[in-house]
Amino acid sequence: MNEKYEEAKKIAEKYNQEHLLNCYEKLDEENKEKLLDQILNINFEQISELYEKTKKTSNVIPGEGEVKAISYIDKDKISEDKLNEYRKKGKNVIKEGHYAVVTMAGGQGTRLGFNGPKGTYNLGDGIKKTLFEIISDTIKTAKVENEAITIPWYVMTSRENNADTVKFFKENNYFGLPESDVDFFIQGELPMVGKNGKILIDETGIVKEAADGHGGVFSAMYKDGIVEDMQKRGIEWVFIAGVDNILAKIVDPIATGIAIDKKVLATGKSVVKANAKEKVGVFCKKNNKPYVIEYSEITDEMAEMINGDGELIYGESHILCNLFNIKAIESMCKSTLPYHSAFKKAKYINEYGELVVPTEPNAFKFESFMFDAFERLDDMAILRVKREEEFAPIKNAEGVDSPETARRLYLDFMGKDYIGK
Ligand code: UTP
């Protein structure tokens, strides 16, 4: 056996993961190399710590700290003069080419159950466009509205969906955008771990890894040279959103103008929580820093607290639509965010070399959330926008937040003259 194998074996044994090499001899040369590289690169200390944490009743550690309401700006209540002032400030940034968009499209889209990258899902009926095309439409329209010379678009993919995503963009001629203004970067991954703490082997015989959550966006942007590219292009403001909110206003002069005016390095958009029990994360302040408190963290009492106007005190839902100054990204991208664990169904090869297709969740996946980065900022502006104008998410195949509900919201917003392809 070669030296690399011996080294990998030693490490695997040290961490009680020697089963990872059980099928080594049966692999072809390429996968042998891949497996050894994986083992040499895995941070086993980190994985065992994350696994140990899963044994505690809750993997969410709210931590110490005083939680209080965060102040926000309700877009609907801004005076016309002030709106124009913000718009002007933001428009200047966009017009001069200092604004970029990042779309996080590395998720697995398991709830939608579509076979392929979520961004390539076609909305059909009345719209007949894929999620990526809808985002490209938003960028193209914003370019015209803001007379922008360029609005670079960076798409975060995962190892699993990168090739299909890039191919889709090529086949669609980058939706008419200049190819030089579209770039892709691949997010990080972490091994999946079984209930017994053993790292899983996938169907091809190598370590089963899964995307490390949307919080991986900052470190991936750094590692893949995206931050550097932005610096070279003179980008100052970056809007980061998921791929699946088809009404996301990702080029937003007002959100930009507000951040500039308030001298903060980020603006987070919120929509009013539908009711105290809605399962969404809400903006708040923790230890005087911006924070998103998840629905699993918030007590019933806090969730139901109302102010003098009868509004929920913790009622500003986080919708994964946030604008960052490049300085904030530069400081956040060099370290990783904390990981949360989720218990999922994952196919794997067992110790007898057999494929196991579970019907129940069987493995831990570790993910970081982008909103965990907010507390690294001194402050951020929160801009409350209207659900019907900026929030039409596609999460489930049917029912709430499905293609059906998003299609309705999109068509209502676009107006009766909207014609799909
Ligand atoms: P969700 O958390 O809703 O996940 O992602 P999802 O992958 O779309 O769907 P499920 O949970 O598997 O059903 C919100 C946004 O963050 C992106 C997704 O692509 C989506 O745009 N995301 C999520 C990533 O880019 N990477 C990740 O690791 C996770």
Side-chain angles (χ1 to χ4, degrees):
M1 284 296 169
N2 64 34
E3 243 176 69
K4 201 166 168 183
Y5 175 88
E6 290 305 331
E7 202 188 333
K9 186 164 174 252
K10 223 158 92 189
I11 297 177
E13 278 170 359
K14 180 172 170 200
Y15 292 97
N16 287 327
Q17 302 284 357
E18 55 273 27
H19 67 287
L20 294 177
L21 288 159
N22 279 358
C23 300
Y24 180 79
E25 281 311 321
K26 291 190 201 138
L27 301 180
D28 61 22
E29 286 311 308
E30 198 186 329
N31 276 340
K32 277 184 177 165
E33 269 305 292
K34 262 195 202 161
L35 177 62
L36 297 184
D37 285 338
Q38 283 178 314
I39 297 176
L40 295 176
N41 283 305
I42 289 172
N43 182 342
F44 286 96
E45 292 285 349
Q46 178 194 40
I47 298 300
S48 47
E49 265 173 39
L50 290 172
Y51 170 68
E52 288 307 318
K53 261 196 211 163
T54 64
K55 295 182 188 161
K56 307 211 169 104
T57 40
S58 156
N59 71 80
V60 185
I61 305 153
E64 298 294 306
E66 187 206 357
V67 174
K68 58 181 188 198
I70 195 163
S71 53
Y72 62 86
I73 298 171
D74 186 342
K75 188 173 172 189
D76 214 26
K77 297 197 176 132
I78 307 175
S79 71
E80 209 39 52
D81 283 354
K82 205 71 193 153
L83 264 185
N84 284 333
E85 196 187 304
Y86 292 145
R87 195 179 285 118
K88 200 167 154 209
K89 283 190 174 139
K91 191 171 166 172
N92 270 341
V93 169
I94 301 164
K95 186 174 172 183
E96 300 300 328
H98 301 310
Y99 189 102
V101 170
V102 170
T103 297
M104 299 184 293
Q108 289 178 306
T110 37
R111 285 169 289 171
L112 182 63
F114 169 65
N115 190 15
K118 204 176 194 180
T120 66
Y121 179 82
N122 195 312
L123 276 152
D125 287 358
I127 300 183
K128 298 199 183 104
K129 288 184 183 188
T130 62
L131 305 191
F132 282 134
E133 189 174 359
I134 287 177
I135 298 173
S136 76
D137 282 353
T138 310
I139 295 176
K140 282 186 269 183
T141 309
K143 263 175 101 171
V144 175
E145 279 173 3
N146 295 283
E147 304 157 73
I149 29 179
T150 168
I151 301 180
W153 182 18
Y154 302 91
V155 181
M156 179 167 87
T157 62
S158 63
R159 189 170 59 93
E160 208 179 338
N161 73 18
N162 182 67
D164 286 343
T165 304
V166 174
K167 186 164 162 257
F168 190 76
F169 271 73
K170 278 197 186 134
E171 281 167 2
N172 286 280
N173 200 20
Y174 299 86
F175 309 103
L177 288 162
E179 193 184 327
S180 55
D181 280 355
V182 183
D183 205 352
F184 304 88
F185 62 106
I186 304 178
Q187 71 174 108
E189 294 188 314
L190 284 174
M192 291 188 77
V193 176
K195 260 195 229 169
N196 55 2
K198 300 284 181 197
I199 292 175
L200 300 189
I201 289 288
D202 76 8
E203 295 105 299
T204 64
I206 63 171
V207 173
K208 185 162 185 99
E209 296 191 288
D212 62 359
H214 44 66
V217 66
F218 300 108
S219 52
M221 277 166 73
Y222 175 62
K223 286 193 191 125
D224 262 12
I226 300 298
V227 174
E228 201 185 332
D229 188 68
M230 287 177 173
Q231 288 161 336
K232 276 195 200 132
R233 287 173 178 259
I235 299 298
E236 288 166 12
W237 293 94
V238 183
F239 200 97
I240 309 185
V243 71
D244 52 9
N245 171 9
I246 56 173
L247 278 181
K249 192 168 167 53
I250 50 182
V251 182
D252 192 336
I254 291 174
T256 315
I258 288 177
I260 297 170
D261 188 75
K262 305 278 169 231
K263 299 190 173 48
V264 290
L265 295 184
T267 300
K269 294 208 204 174
S270 67
V271 298
V272 180
K273 198 173 168 183
N275 57 63
K277 297 227 165 354
E278 197 189 4
K279 289 187 171 178
V280 289
V282 289
F283 284 103
C284 64
K285 280 237 169 150
K286 197 175 103 177
N287 293 328
N288 237 6
K289 295 287 173 68
Y291 188 77
V292 169
I293 187 160
E294 285 217 80
Y295 67 85
S296 50
E297 279 181 306
I298 198 164
T299 60
D300 287 350
E301 191 195 339
M302 269 175 85
E304 281 159 18
M305 276 161 75
I306 48 170
N307 65 17
D309 298 329
E311 286 191 332
L312 294 172
I313 289 184
Y314 297 99
E316 299 309 306
S317 311
H318 171 252
I319 55 168
L320 205 58
C321 276
N322 304 295
L323 175 79
F324 297 92
N325 187 276
I326 187 81
K327 289 194 194 116
I329 293 178
E330 284 163 357
S331 75
M332 294 192 294
C333 67
K334 290 183 189 138
S335 56
T336 48
L337 294 168
Y339 291 104
H340 304 247
S341 69
F343 201 45
K344 302 246 174 180
K345 276 192 270 184
K347 288 186 218 162
Y348 69 105
I349 302 286
N350 68 14
E351 63 267 43
Y352 309 108
E354 302 155 348
L355 175 69
V356 180
V357 184
T359 49
E360 294 296 322
N362 62 315
F364 295 104
K365 181 181 181 202
F366 304 110
E367 291 184 295
S368 62
F369 300 146
M370 81 125 39
F371 48 78
D372 280 332
F374 297 162
E375 55 186 328
R376 298 184 180 182
L377 298 165
D378 287 334
D379 202 0
M380 70 191 282
I382 307 299
L383 177 62
R384 179 197 276 187
V385 297
K386 286 190 181 150
R387 239 171 226 263
E388 63 273 27
E389 290 179 3
E390 300 200 28
F391 194 48
I394 298 173
K395 300 288 178 194
N396 307 305
E398 283 170 3
V400 284
D401 298 342
S402 63
E404 181 60 43
T405 56
R407 199 182 293 123
R408 212 26 322 119
L409 284 160
Y410 190 79
L411 291 173
D412 283 350
F413 180 71
M414 297 307 274
K416 62 179 175 27
D417 297 330
Y418 177 80
I419 307 166
K421 198 154 47 179

